[in-house]
Amino acid sequence: MLNDATPEIVNAFRAALPEGVVRDVEQRYLEEPRDRLTGRAGAVLTPGSVEEVSAVMRLASEHRVGIVPYGGGTGLVGGQLATEGPVPLVLSLERMKAVRGVWPEEGVMTVEAGAILQEVQGVAEANGRLFPLSLGSEGSARIGGLLGTNAGGVNVLRYGNARELCLGVEAVLADGRVMRGLKRLRKDNTGYDLRNLLIGSEGTLGVITAASLRLFPRPENRAAAVLVVESPAAALGLLGKAQGIAGPALSAFELIAGQGPKFLAEHVPQVRLPWSEVPDWCVLIELGCSAGQDADALMEALFSEAYEAGLVRDGVVAASEGQRSEFWAMRESLPEGNRRVGSVISNDISLPLSAVPEFITRAGEAIGKAGDFRINCFGHLGDGNLHYNVFPAAGKRREDYPADSYGVLKDVINQLLAEMEGSFSAEHGLGRAKVDDLAKWGDPVRIEMMRAIKKTLDPLGILNPGAIFGQNFP
């Protein structure tokens, strides 16, 4: 059983750690982007080195107090907030943001876990390279949290999730021992892949303190377009054609339902839309080409062939870098439009690519039977990841629906996902919001294996208590 982080325990940490590491709790460490959960903490710990993180974990083991790792606070499933159970301490690596080394010729950069994604992108660019992880919160999300949740984003189609972008990690275990795995190797078959065990573990197995990241050549030229399609099935056909024409130059392929831009027009009017009349479905495509390739020519060929094949009805090709940026501003503003409307339920899901159109049809029909709702479906069609969100009908609010609407809609969607071999968490993780979903829909043997690993590496359950497994651990 863990202890509360009482004033006495906080003072013990304060006495044992360097001055300034232990801080009073600010409200920002207890909030999350959707304002649906509120955390609790006895203090915030801000170590400045891996040695200080190690000291923190030794003290936590000694006092049997929970530690909640905190990155940029951008997570959407409550992984960074302890909402119940014994009061923990928050561990923020915001002071650990150094770039330890850049090797452009190797395509590698080593950074500390508190580095902000946008700043890492800038360092890569200054060295003539690209760090391709890109998402809406990149101005505040930190590398440790992105690896802890195996973040995705818009470029997964070409470059992979955060997991594929990491060659090695340094991490502190629950008892304070340091795993020094910051190798810059592409091949290292010396046993279990502990790097990938820690990536995606949401801070429940260890605290990632630094990482060796993969860098890539920067595209010599880019092209972007918003193409109007008749349906998700047509969008899937367009994806196949885009892969055939552009090959590895296809960087992003985003499916956008008309409801999202309509929310923007109503609630975030400063975001510029590509059309005067919003279509029911469109796709945002980006190509990034190396020297010797012409991205504009490839995009024109794609549009022409897709139009002739009946896959595309209309489209706008970016005529400048500014227009390309406007397309992406629309895409990245969709969550803000959702937030201002207020969803009944938000879902981060994935499906086999060929199952996506059928899921969208069947889910829409099932939700229509459950009540009067609006659906905003958008996401990374190139990798089968959808953000499938359900909203009140026009003129209604969440409070106007029965109290069990959230649970009813969640079961409708998760049942379909189970039938179609999908996942109820694609890129946001489990956190605390999806603990019950894992217990209900997860494979029992897999969960048993996960618990065994957790118990081996963190027998006291001090690392992010309540995340993934709930309070029922160990």
Side-chain angles (χ1 to χ4, degrees):
M1 181 68 182
L2 297 180
N3 297 316
D4 283 327
T6 62
E8 292 76 18
I9 288 178
V10 171
N11 285 335
F13 274 74
R14 201 183 303 273
L17 296 169
E19 185 177 356
V21 171
V22 182
R23 293 165 31 185
D24 293 337
V25 182
E26 298 174 43
Q27 188 61 31
R28 64 189 176 98
Y29 294 102
L30 307 178
E31 299 172 341
E32 51 88 33
R34 290 176 178 166
D35 297 324
R36 294 189 175 183
L37 301 173
T38 301
R40 301 146 67 243
V44 175
L45 310 176
T46 59
S49 67
V50 65
E51 290 77 20
E52 291 179 4
V53 177
S54 176
V56 164
M57 295 313 304
R58 289 196 302 271
L59 287 166
S61 294
E62 177 185 339
H63 292 282
R64 297 182 72 106
V65 62
I67 296 291
V68 177
Y70 188 94
T74 60
L76 299 178
V77 291
Q80 72 274 41
L81 302 176
T83 56
E84 57 183 347
V87 177
L89 297 167
V90 168
L91 175 63
S92 171
L93 301 190
E94 62 198 65
R95 291 174 57 211
M96 293 182 60
K97 53 186 179 182
V99 176
R100 294 189 184 175
V102 184
W103 299 267
E105 69 284 356
E106 294 182 14
V108 182
M109 171 169 51
T110 296
V111 301
E112 292 183 336
I116 292 174
L117 174 56
Q118 195 169 69
E119 296 173 356
V120 171
Q121 294 168 341
V123 172
E125 183 175 1
N127 283 272
R129 291 291 182 263
L130 170 73
F131 183 61
L133 185 61
S134 179
L135 55 157
S137 60
E138 59 194 31
S140 52
R142 299 181 187 272
I143 292 298
L146 293 165
L147 291 173
T149 55
N150 188 29
V154 298
N155 290 329
V156 172
L157 173 62
R158 182 170 183 174
Y159 298 103
N161 290 315
R163 186 186 306 280
E164 283 74 45
L165 301 176
C166 180
L167 296 175
V169 297
E170 173 188 86
V172 178
L173 303 184
D175 59 6
R177 288 178 296 161
V178 180
M179 187 191 88
R180 302 188 187 277
L182 284 177
K183 293 184 177 180
R184 311 195 305 268
L185 306 176
R186 263 68 173 185
K187 294 182 177 179
D188 183 14
N189 277 328
T190 54
Y192 302 143
D193 192 346
L194 301 178
R195 168 202 58 178
N196 274 333
L197 182 63
L198 291 166
I199 296 173
S201 68
E202 302 187 51
T204 62
L205 300 179
V207 179
I208 294 175
T209 51
S212 294
L213 306 175
R214 295 178 64 197
L215 305 180
F216 296 82
R218 296 188 62 77
E220 290 290 328
N221 57 93
R222 295 183 293 190
V226 178
L227 305 183
V228 177
V229 294
E230 193 68 38
S231 65
L236 193 61
L238 177 61
L239 173 62
K241 187 165 287 294
Q243 289 171 324
I245 291 175
L250 180 61
S251 300
F253 195 96
E254 300 285 300
L255 178 68
I256 302 173
Q259 188 64 71
K262 289 176 183 177
F263 283 164
L264 292 179
E266 183 177 356
H267 298 280
V268 196
Q270 65 270 29
V271 174
R272 188 170 179 176
L273 302 181
W275 345 257
S276 56
E277 185 175 342
V278 176
D280 290 338
W281 293 99
C282 70
V283 172
L284 170 54
I285 301 175
E286 178 155 305
L287 308 180
C289 292
S290 57
Q293 292 181 301
D294 186 335
D296 289 329
L298 285 176
M299 188 67 80
E300 290 175 11
L302 173 60
F303 179 81
S304 178
E305 290 193 23
Y307 186 85
E308 289 296 323
L311 297 173
V312 170
R313 291 194 290 109
D314 198 358
V316 181
V317 178
S320 65
E321 180 62 24
Q323 192 171 24
R324 188 192 75 85
S325 296
E326 287 179 354
F327 291 171
W328 281 109
M330 174 194 68
R331 166 61 183 85
E332 297 296 0
S333 297
L334 293 176
E336 176 61 18
N338 287 349
R339 190 186 69 80
R340 297 200 184 185
V341 175
S343 68
V344 179
I345 184 171
S346 299
N347 300 275
D348 162 47
I349 62 175
S350 63
L351 292 140
L353 288 184
S354 62
V356 169
E358 180 185 354
F359 171 85
I360 291 174
T361 298
R362 291 178 61 185
E365 292 171 349
I367 289 169
K369 293 177 182 177
D372 185 14
F373 298 102
R374 290 179 290 179
I375 298 170
N376 184 15
C377 172
F378 65 97
H380 322 302
L381 182 61
D383 54 59
N385 176 194
L386 297 178
H387 302 297
Y388 193 87
N389 308 314
V390 183
F391 295 83
K396 290 187 176 181
R397 302 175 304 163
R398 281 184 298 210
E399 295 77 11
D400 297 329
Y401 291 84
D404 65 345
S405 293
Y406 177 90
V408 169
L409 293 174
K410 182 166 71 169
D411 281 347
V412 165
I413 292 166
N414 286 349
Q415 180 62 52
L416 270 177
L417 289 170
E419 292 175 13
M420 303 178 77
E421 300 183 326
S423 171
F424 57 82
S425 180
E427 63 179 359
H428 292 164
L430 298 170
R432 291 168 177 81
K434 296 192 176 184
V435 167
D436 293 341
D437 294 337
L438 177 66
K440 182 173 182 178
W441 300 101
D443 174 67
V445 174
R446 183 169 179 269
I447 295 171
E448 183 181 342
M449 294 171 67
M450 289 167 58
R451 291 180 68 89
I453 293 169
K454 168 73 169 171
K455 192 169 184 179
T456 298
L457 294 180
D458 182 18
L460 299 179
I462 65 174
L463 278 166
N464 214 0
I468 298 181
F469 303 103
Q471 294 299 318
N472 186 26
F473 189 92

